[in-house]
Amino acid sequence: MIIKSSEFVVSNSDVAKCPNSKLPEYAFIGRSNVGKSSLINMLTARKSLAKTSGRPGKTQLINHFLINKEWHLVDLPGYGYARVSKSIKKTFQKFITQYFEHREQMLCAFVLIDSRHNPQPIDLEFMQWLGEHGIPFCIIFTKADKLKPNALTRNIEVYKEKMLEIWVEMPVYFVTSSTNDLGREEVLKYIENLNNQFISN
Ligand code: GTP
Ligand code: MG
């Protein structure tokens, strides 16, 4: 897919105030600092469409971006940052869970996982929560440039094995780097296919 235009639409903390349109949309979710905002910039080829930072907790609201005037990309705050509660409900900011529960045009959540780390309970729990709520998702392993190819392959294998302890099959997944555009075409192609299915339904 060719990105012809990308524009910021609105930020808010209330799903009821998200854009009142039926355009298909895709949300980027994951731990703070995993690279959600950077990936949005990489996909749209815009240096600072979404605000990024080396310090966790940069994105604090639900941010909608309109792409090609046809679909939305949604940048969400990270989970697992400065949250002390053990309760999963409190761990994921309430408005994030409300967003996923109510936003029917959200066709796929991209759950970002830092490719350098072992499977983390908070990510596994979040994907389980998505599954229990019937919310479609894919995995994106980020920051692939920070690993040597062998280590990257090994970490993804470890992740697959962990997922297969819980899931019948490994969800669709992508490997990306926001510094060298790895995975860009694949993710955009996936979105394009879902957009086309959405239009023909
Ligand atoms: P929050 O908004 O705080 O939840 O973080 P986020 O998930 O949006 O992360 P963000 O995109 O702000 O990136 C966090 C840090 O990781 C920044 O310093 C980025 O430059 C860096 N980063 C993100 N993606 C990549 C990547 O693919 N490769 C490398 N080397 N660094 C990355
Ligand atoms: Mg962010």
Side-chain angles (χ1 to χ4, degrees):
M1 169 169 26
I2 296 167
I3 303 295
K4 289 169 273 183
S5 67
S6 44
E7 56 200 281
F8 170 72
V9 183
V10 67
S11 292
N12 62 70
S13 61
D14 181 354
V15 66
K17 293 184 188 145
C18 287
N20 183 17
S21 84
K22 292 275 170 273
L23 296 177
E25 72 186 44
Y26 303 89
F28 289 71
I29 182 75
R31 290 159 73 89
S32 269
N33 219 42
V34 69
K36 300 175 292 295
S37 302
S38 302
L39 186 65
I40 286 177
N41 292 337
M42 183 270 257
L43 293 174
T44 55
R46 293 271 303 273
K47 263 204 192 83
S48 47
L49 182 66
K51 300 220 169 37
T52 67
S53 167
R55 284 176 44 216
K58 179 68 183 174
T59 310
Q60 305 241 342
L61 297 166
I62 305 171
N63 299 287
H64 274 76
F65 300 96
L66 179 64
I67 314 299
N68 291 352
K69 311 223 181 273
E70 286 171 350
W71 52 283
H72 285 120
L73 268 181
V74 181
D75 193 15
L76 293 170
Y79 51 71
Y81 168 65
R83 304 284 144 179
V84 285
S85 168
K86 288 191 193 118
S87 149
I88 186 164
K89 283 209 182 100
K90 288 182 188 156
T91 306
F92 307 126
Q93 293 93 320
K94 199 151 198 223
F95 66 84
I96 298 182
T97 50
Q98 285 175 342
Y99 167 82
F100 284 111
E101 283 166 348
H102 297 290
R103 200 71 181 160
E104 282 171 9
Q105 62 274 65
M106 205 286 305
L107 299 192
C108 180
F110 290 97
V111 178
L112 275 62
I113 306 280
D114 191 321
S115 60
R116 295 170 298 175
H117 303 323
N118 282 325
Q120 306 283 313
I122 195 166
D123 296 317
L124 298 168
E125 283 166 15
F126 186 71
M127 288 187 272
Q128 194 138 4
W129 182 88
L130 290 174
E132 284 162 9
H133 287 76
I135 297 162
F137 70 92
C138 293
I139 293 178
I140 294 188
F141 293 103
T142 63
K143 308 194 184 185
D145 60 285
K146 292 200 179 217
L147 283 174
K148 296 215 167 74
N150 283 347
L152 179 63
T153 308
R154 193 172 57 239
N155 283 2
I156 291 169
E157 279 311 311
V158 168
Y159 218 96
K160 274 190 202 167
E161 275 173 33
K162 187 74 195 174
M163 287 299 284
L164 292 176
E165 288 175 16
I166 306 164
W167 297 84
V168 178
E169 53 186 31
M170 178 70 181
V172 172
Y173 70 93
F174 302 92
V175 181
T176 65
S177 164
S178 297
T179 59
N180 66 19
D181 284 5
L182 179 74
R184 182 173 188 270
E185 291 306 319
E186 289 81 357
V187 174
L188 288 177
K189 181 91 206 150
Y190 190 80
I191 291 174
E192 186 173 33
N193 282 337
L194 288 180
N195 281 344
N196 289 340
Q197 285 173 32
F198 184 80
I199 291 163
S200 62
N201 274 330

